[in-house]
Amino acid sequence: DEARLLQRCWTDNIRPALAKGRREAAEMDSQWREIRRQKGLPDRTESLMTGVRRRVATEIQQVDFGDHSDTLERLGLIRRNFGVQVKTTRGGGDEITDVESEIGYRLVYTEYAVRFLEACHGAESKI
């Protein structure tokens, strides 16, 4: 079941996001290289391509991991991304009369998951 879920994650979410991220990074790298060339600046050694996997891992939409979330989290393929939401109630003036806070999380892929699934499916075109 976990293997089928990971396959669906790859085909529906990760592979398309990687392809899009690589295309965008390659276009931006090309534009920046041209601007640096025109201005006579040295070429940067780091490309935007280096952060594509990391960005993809946190930006893509998640599927419902259901009962498999514990297993995938234990394997380091997903993690909980926590956030705090604070709601305040004000009285007649500027004074705060009530504060409610709520801690929530969403499950996000890890960069390791992106690399793992990419390795399982073999090399693909970088652009």
Side-chain angles (χ1 to χ4, degrees):
D1 288 344
E2 282 95 354
R4 279 191 284 277
L5 177 61
L6 287 174
Q7 179 63 30
R8 194 174 81 227
C9 292
W10 172 256
T11 56
D12 293 353
N13 294 334
I14 297 174
R15 183 179 59 194
L18 274 175
K20 180 182 177 203
R22 285 186 175 129
R23 260 192 324 274
E24 290 172 353
E27 289 171 9
M28 289 297 294
D29 277 347
S30 176
Q31 290 172 1
W32 286 2
R33 216 175 3 262
E34 180 60 25
I35 290 169
R36 287 191 301 272
R37 187 190 63 73
Q38 289 174 356
K39 294 186 181 267
L41 299 171
D43 198 15
R44 279 187 352 176
T45 55
E46 186 176 341
S47 162
L48 287 176
M49 295 293 264
T50 58
V52 168
R53 287 187 189 99
R54 191 176 323 107
R55 285 192 305 274
V56 162
T58 57
E59 291 174 2
I60 58 179
Q61 292 296 315
Q62 305 302 307
V63 298
D64 180 15
F65 296 110
D67 295 336
H68 308 292
S69 62
D70 289 341
T71 301
L72 298 176
E73 192 171 15
R74 181 176 48 80
L75 293 172
L77 299 173
I78 60 175
R79 67 178 168 77
R80 294 169 197 264
N81 193 4
F82 289 93
V84 178
Q85 191 174 51
V86 178
K87 298 176 187 173
T88 58
T89 306
R90 296 191 179 270
D94 282 342
E95 73 277 357
I96 296 175
T97 59
D98 189 30
V99 176
E100 289 182 39
S101 61
E102 184 177 317
I103 298 176
Y105 68 89
R106 68 183 189 113
L107 295 170
V108 296
Y109 296 105
T110 61
E111 186 178 352
Y112 170 73
V114 175
R115 288 178 183 270
F116 173 77
L117 290 170
E118 195 174 27
C120 289
H121 290 85
E124 292 188 26
S125 170
K126 296 291 183 195
I127 297 176

